[in-house]
Amino acid sequence: MTPPLCALDDIDDPGAKGFTVTRDGGHVRIFVVRRGAEVFGYVNSCPHVGAPLDIEADKFLDIFKTGILCANHFALFEIESGHCVRGPCNGRDLQRFPVTVRAGMVVIA
Ligand code: FES
């Protein structure tokens, strides 16, 4: 059984946190956005050029904390869908990574 990523309360509300997980024998960088009791997981790779979105660790949200912001060239994504609504990869999507909350812990679904 895969251990939890963290407690839900370890992530600001709203806020986000990055992780490196093992999948299919390799390491995958992901991040989880929390909004209330909901979590949204994505692979930490911008569809623009494949770079991690956070230049500063765990800074994945815009200043209003209503969208996911890539720190490289400022693409903006919807939190709930990962769909890019502004920037150089407009119309493209972050790759979802399945996470959920069980007993107050964020786990891989
Ligand atoms: S790498 Fe994300 S907007 Fe360019």
Side-chain angles (χ1 to χ4, degrees), residues 8 11 32-42 79 96-97 99-101 105-107:
L8 179 63
I11 306 177
V32 176
V33 180
R34 175 184 181 187
R35 199 172 55 190
E38 289 184 296
V39 289
F40 306 88
Y42 297 101
I79 288 174
R96 284 185 179 276
F97 192 90
V99 294
T100 191
V101 178
M105 303 300 287
V106 180
V107 297

Side-chain angles (χ1 to χ4, degrees), residues 21-98:
V21 300
T22 303
R23 183 148 268 204
D24 301 327
H27 297 298
V28 181
R29 284 182 298 200
I30 67 165
F31 65 98
V32 176
V33 180
R34 175 184 181 187
R35 199 172 55 190
E38 289 184 296
V39 289
F40 306 88
Y42 297 101
V43 174
N44 187 5
S45 175
C46 182
H48 178 211
V49 294
L53 284 80
D54 58 329
I55 290 175
E56 189 177 337
D58 298 336
K59 293 264 186 190
F60 291 97
L61 301 184
D62 68 349
I63 58 169
F64 306 109
K65 300 194 176 193
T66 55
I68 298 166
L69 184 70
C70 179
N72 297 293
H73 312 106
F74 310 113
L76 184 68
F77 304 85
E78 294 174 339
I79 288 174
E80 62 277 3
S81 70
H83 187 67
C84 182
V85 294
R86 189 193 74 204
C89 44
N90 195 4
R92 297 176 67 187
D93 297 294
L94 294 170
Q95 184 182 342
R96 284 185 179 276
F97 192 90

